[in-house]
Amino acid sequence: MRIVVTYIRRVLKILRAEVLVLPSRVTVMVFAIALLALPLVTQDYYILRIMILTSIFAILAASWDLLSGFTGQMNFGHALFFGVAAYVTALLNLRLGLPPYFSIPLGAMGAVLTGLIVGIPCLRLKGSYLALTTLAFPIILMGLVFAFPGITGGELGLSGLTKLTGSRVMDYYVTTSLMLILGGVMWKITDSNTGVILHAIREDEVAARAAGINTTRYKLLAFCLSGFFAGIAGGLYAHFMRLAGPSTLEIGLSFQVIIWSVFGGMVSIYGPIAGVYILNPFMEVLRIILDNFPSLPEMRMFIFAALVLLTLRFMPEGLIPWLRDKVESECPRCKVRNVFFRRSCRICNADMT
């Protein structure tokens, strides 16, 4: 009993000292509670399906930010990790009969191996050369998928996978919980010394190397970590849809990941996650509304493009950083964030005005 009381006191202390002091952290906490409480409000199959896919894509978008946002390694073919993990997961499940809790992590390890294979030749490339090279890998793999239909299922893909869980509500809780946990892990990585080094590589790789940092090792680490988290998303997708097909490798998916991340706000982890949670359900709502207007078939994509362009025009760093900067300010001395109305920093008492 004493242990429980001590634990509760510790949690309350963390809430009071670390979470409730900043509006952005309170918002994240409320968002997480609302997500977990959603099935108590509705268990509609369609709504839960949209939210499950949104959680899976949120993991994928955050994994792209971990690589491209924090290290500056612009990856235009991020669907490669997603697709590789989906196919590996499907093969392990269909051929060896492995259940999802084994096939998904092993599928993610397949994506890590892919991250090594892609990362090594990309280490010396920068800018547009790196972007085009990463873009080529999912196209090459797509060709292999069509070349070996006996293994990959060709155009139809591999279908009939074991269900993720026994019910739609459990699917929702598994994917949402994993999104919250993996999102927290990715944010913690970027907030650690490793994240600082990844920042340094993005800002000035030569200076980072001159400071004694093995930039090659850290860039490979970023490729592997990003591949692992994207692989988890790919495995979840394969088991939830019960299918691993060429659509998991499409270039359109890679670009959609970039749009979600840039819209929400790169170099933050939570920005891409928020971008997916705003844009993906928004597109579904638009689909439902515009189904009543068959004479306007292209309006959905037009509205989507206009929303993204207007956001980037007036909020170049993304929606979430823009909103955060409205309610928080950064201490000029210690760089810790404070509520915008504070006159002195909550850590070092420096003047905030």
Side-chain angles (χ1 to χ4, degrees), residues 71 73 197-205 208 215 218-219:
T71 65
Q73 304 295 299
I197 292 172
L198 297 181
H199 265 295
I201 293 172
R202 184 195 63 196
E203 295 298 326
D204 193 335
E205 186 176 343
T215 58
Y218 278 97
K219 285 197 291 185

Side-chain angles (χ1 to χ4, degrees), residues 286-308:
L286 273 184
R287 185 200 305 277
I288 294 170
I289 295 173
L290 294 178
D291 278 349
N292 298 318
F293 302 95
S295 59
L296 301 172
E298 304 298 332
M299 283 301 292
R300 181 165 167 263
M301 291 310 299
F302 173 77
I303 294 172
F304 172 76
L307 175 67
V308 173

Side-chain angles (χ1 to χ4, degrees), residues 27-253:
T27 305
V28 170
M29 184 180 70
V30 172
F31 173 70
I33 293 172
L35 276 181
L36 295 174
L38 180 65
L40 302 178
V41 179
T42 178
Q43 295 190 1
D44 183 272
Y45 261 46
Y46 180 70
I47 293 176
L48 291 184
R49 173 190 165 85
I50 298 303
M51 295 307 293
I52 288 168
L53 289 175
T54 301
S55 294
I56 292 172
F57 291 139
I59 299 172
L60 181 63
S63 70
W64 182 85
D65 194 33
L66 181 64
L67 173 63
S68 298
F70 280 88
T71 65
Q73 304 295 299
M74 194 53 66
N75 183 2
F76 275 17
H78 202 59
L80 175 71
F81 301 134
F82 189 80
V84 166
Y87 271 101
V88 173
T89 299
L91 287 170
L92 290 172
N93 181 251
L94 294 174
R95 303 286 190 264
L96 301 180
L98 294 183
Y101 47 84
F102 279 130
S103 60
I104 292 174
L106 290 175
M109 293 311 296
V112 171
L113 182 61
T114 307
L116 278 175
I117 295 170
V118 173
I120 290 172
C122 292
L123 287 176
R124 296 183 181 277
L125 300 176
K126 292 181 180 178
S128 56
Y129 296 102
L130 174 63
L132 289 174
T133 304
T134 54
L135 185 63
F137 281 102
I139 298 174
I140 294 170
L141 189 60
M142 181 87 81
L144 293 175
V145 166
F146 291 129
F148 299 98
I151 300 174
T152 63
E155 293 181 2
L156 299 177
L158 300 168
S159 59
L161 277 73
T162 306
K163 289 181 180 178
L164 186 59
T165 66
S167 72
R168 183 58 57 91
V169 174
M170 281 305 298
D171 286 348
Y172 175 83
Y173 275 120
V174 168
T175 52
T176 303
S177 301
L178 277 175
M179 186 280 298
L180 292 172
I181 293 169
L182 296 181
V185 170
M186 282 186 266
W187 178 81
K188 198 63 185 173
I189 290 172
T190 58
D191 197 44
S192 65
N193 290 337
T194 302
V196 173
I197 292 172
L198 297 181
H199 265 295
I201 293 172
R202 184 195 63 196
E203 295 298 326
D204 193 335
E205 186 176 343
V206 176
R209 199 181 302 137
I213 296 171
N214 187 338
T215 58
T216 300
R217 188 175 69 181
Y218 278 97
K219 285 197 291 185
L220 269 180
L221 176 66
F223 266 102
C224 293
L225 286 174
S226 179
F228 176 77
F229 292 117
I232 293 288
L236 288 171
Y237 180 86
H239 273 290
F240 175 66
M241 300 299 289
R242 306 187 67 191
L243 171 72
S247 62
T248 58
L249 291 164
E250 283 182 348
I251 298 301
L253 178 60

Side-chain angles (χ1 to χ4, degrees), residues 254-266:
S254 296
F255 284 112
Q256 204 156 18
V257 170
I258 298 172
I259 292 171
W260 286 326
S261 302
V262 174
F263 174 84
M266 290 172 58

